[in-house]
Amino acid sequence: METGSACVSEVGSVDMRVVERPTHTIVASLRIEEKSAKESKDNFFWGKAGEPQENSDKRELPPEPPNEMNAPVDENLPLKKKGVAKDFSGIQLRLVHLDLKGAAPKVSYLEQIFPLLSKMGANGLLIEYEDMFPYSGELEILKSPYAYSKEDIEKILHLAEINKLEVVPLVQTFGHMEYVLKHENYRSLREVEQYPNSINPHRAETMPLVKKILGQVLELHPMASFVHIGADEVFHLGEGQDSKTWLNSNNGDLGKMFLAHVKELLNFLHSHYPDKYALMWDDMLRKLSVENIKDANISKSVSPVLWIYDQNLNTQQTDKLIGKYQDCGFPSVWFASAFKGASGPDQMWTPIGLHMNNHLQWKQVIDSMHKFPKIRYGGIAMTGWQRYDHYSVLCELLPVALPSLVVCLRAIQHGPLTEESKTEINQILGFSKMDLKKNICDGNGAFPGAEIYRMVRIINDDLKKKVREIMEGDSEIRAWFSRYHRKHRFGNPHKMETFRDKVLKTHEEWETLTDSLRVQLETIYFPDTVEEWMEENVNLHLDALRKMAKDFKEILELKAQPKAVLKK
């Protein structure tokens, strides 16, 4: 998702800004290229007020491709499934989002945290598998080397069931399809050949592929009542040659193109999985007119999930969007907040206060839904983005963000935290004190992954600073053990011994801490996650200290030999 800093979206009728998104980045402006508000030309893509607009580009285009919107479904697709839909009309779901496109936990860790989530008021999970799903057949290429097995999925679903957590699988079906389109087998299905983000809706192979992905996921989720089809941030839509041809014949109506793809997916779900109700991110709908959405006839088949992750959510402008979706005829609307992964693409430490405030803002919106009698509030997805997209680095690890999640679950249910509720949260998490302004919790912690929380806090607070102090902040080290000394392999042992402990003991202490952290990470995560997190957050800084300590020992052993003359 992904989703940067406060993941703010100012939603309004015209100006809808995005501030450093994670997985979601387009928001309502629906800019196909990332441009500033001044540079973007919304009307170029969506027409005035979302109405069709004549295509300004009338240059010669190739013949229009076949009508792949109606391409036949691959014969290997699953048979139609009959089921009885559950009644959620009296239930407001609080879904905890598991973004598995990065740092996917082992099932054993999920087994530990599900009871905590349930205890704190979560009643569902939004699971975004991406490449962690055990795809089979021609789709096997999509799997990560550490993907869950079918048995793992069955166990996850069983653990969710016994903890009374409704599982909603999330399958991207239009944008954010990097994990599919990065493969040579599917490169030809990119909207724009250079970019793996979005799939070309006009290719004959596109819809069968997407349906097959959906089918395999849903086959392993027979009891699921909902499926989330993503459909956010379809970057570069309309820029491919096939799309330009289509737009040239359809008055440049990009909205119609987008809705046609979504409509076909919804028809497939209704036909093959009538017991499953669809959800979709709302950002691509925000600039479409009510009439366009009504004409697409999708409102009875899907609910928009309105996402805003800012702590300063504009409730007035949010109300306008809810009112619009009510006018479109959607029977329900869902919301999406963030408990982590929405304050920077490489964020290591979770800003609890920011995320708590985002949930308090959403609580106000939820409590005022009586203003919209014709649309029901269905629930909230509390997102926890792990990467902003398939190619970005990791955001905060789940154990680091668990205190934030617990605080946010309390806030979305009961509003502002009282001293009594803070005390209760501290007791549950094993902390002595919580400082929401400083985003820290004192004490060792007693929740699954607390050891990781504690050690990551030390690394976040001190590693870079302590290494810099030794490398740059000590005048004696700068004077008697500079880069020049190390390069030419000479130094005065008399002076070097005065800062021996500062260099060697500091290095030893950090190695001990990071070795312990690695052990803890390996109990929760697969090797690729451990290697990536250590490389990005530890080795980036500690390698310099490692090299200095190695040089120090070697040069001290030389006993003040003459300066080495480097060969040219």
Side-chain angles (χ1 to χ4, degrees), residues 88 91-96 123-126 166 168 225-228 277-282 286 302-308 318 322 325 330-337 362 365-366 369 375-382:
F88 286 88
I91 301 174
Q92 296 176 354
L93 287 176
R94 291 177 292 277
L95 306 178
V96 174
N123 54 11
L125 301 169
L126 179 64
E166 177 76 18
V168 179
S225 297
F226 299 92
V227 56
H228 196 311
Y277 188 75
L279 307 174
M280 65 179 288
W281 300 121
D282 83 306
R286 294 185 192 182
V302 66
S303 287
V305 183
L306 200 170
W307 54 267
I308 304 173
T318 303
I322 299 171
Y325 296 145
F330 291 108
S332 65
V333 63
W334 290 55
F335 304 136
S337 56
W362 274 119
V365 174
I366 293 168
M369 279 299 292
I375 191 169
R376 186 178 70 84
Y377 163 60
I380 188 165
M382 302 171 65

Side-chain angles (χ1 to χ4, degrees), residues 95-98 309 337-342 350-352 355-356 358-359 381-385 396-398 401-406 408-409:
L95 306 178
V96 174
H97 176 224
L98 299 177
Y309 307 150
S337 56
F339 72 89
K340 84 175 191 75
T350 307
I352 301 177
H355 295 299
M356 179 190 69
N358 174 245
H359 285 81
M382 302 171 65
T383 63
W385 300 106
E396 312 101 291
L397 297 174
L398 186 54
L402 269 185
S404 174
L405 176 55
V406 169
C408 291
L409 278 166

Side-chain angles (χ1 to χ4, degrees), residues 201-215:
H202 308 286
R203 291 294 302 271
E205 306 93 333
T206 290
M207 194 56 69
L209 172 64
V210 174
K211 291 175 180 179
K212 187 175 292 186
I213 293 172
L214 268 172

Side-chain angles (χ1 to χ4, degrees), residues 11-137:
V11 293
S13 57
V14 178
D15 180 24
M16 302 186 183
R17 300 178 293 113
V18 179
V19 179
E20 296 182 316
R21 292 284 320 155
T23 304
H24 303 302
T25 324
I26 266 189
V27 188
S29 62
L30 294 172
R31 295 189 295 270
I32 305 302
E33 297 178 0
E34 296 183 30
K35 301 179 179 179
S36 69
K38 291 182 179 180
E39 292 174 316
S40 66
K41 302 288 186 181
D42 289 339
N43 287 349
F44 175 82
F45 297 106
W46 297 99
K48 186 175 180 181
E51 293 300 331
Q53 176 175 310
E54 185 173 348
N55 190 356
S56 59
D57 186 359
K58 293 296 184 181
R59 61 181 179 276
E60 198 67 28
L61 294 172
E64 183 172 355
N67 184 9
E68 291 82 2
M69 291 296 183
N70 297 316
V73 177
D74 188 282
E75 61 181 7
N76 294 322
L77 281 172
L79 298 174
K80 293 184 179 182
K81 294 291 181 180
K82 294 182 179 180
V84 179
K86 301 176 188 176
D87 182 11
F88 286 88
S89 59
I91 301 174
Q92 296 176 354
L93 287 176
R94 291 177 292 277
L95 306 178
V96 174
H97 176 224
L98 299 177
D99 180 15
L100 303 181
K101 63 176 170 283
K106 295 178 180 179
V107 177
S108 56
Y109 184 66
L110 298 178
E111 186 171 8
Q112 296 177 62
I113 66 170
F114 282 4
L116 175 62
L117 304 186
S118 181
K119 179 179 181 179
M120 295 309 300
N123 54 11
L125 301 169
L126 179 64
I127 304 183
E128 185 166 358
Y129 290 106
E130 212 191 59
D131 62 356
M132 285 300 292
F133 188 80
Y135 298 104
S136 61

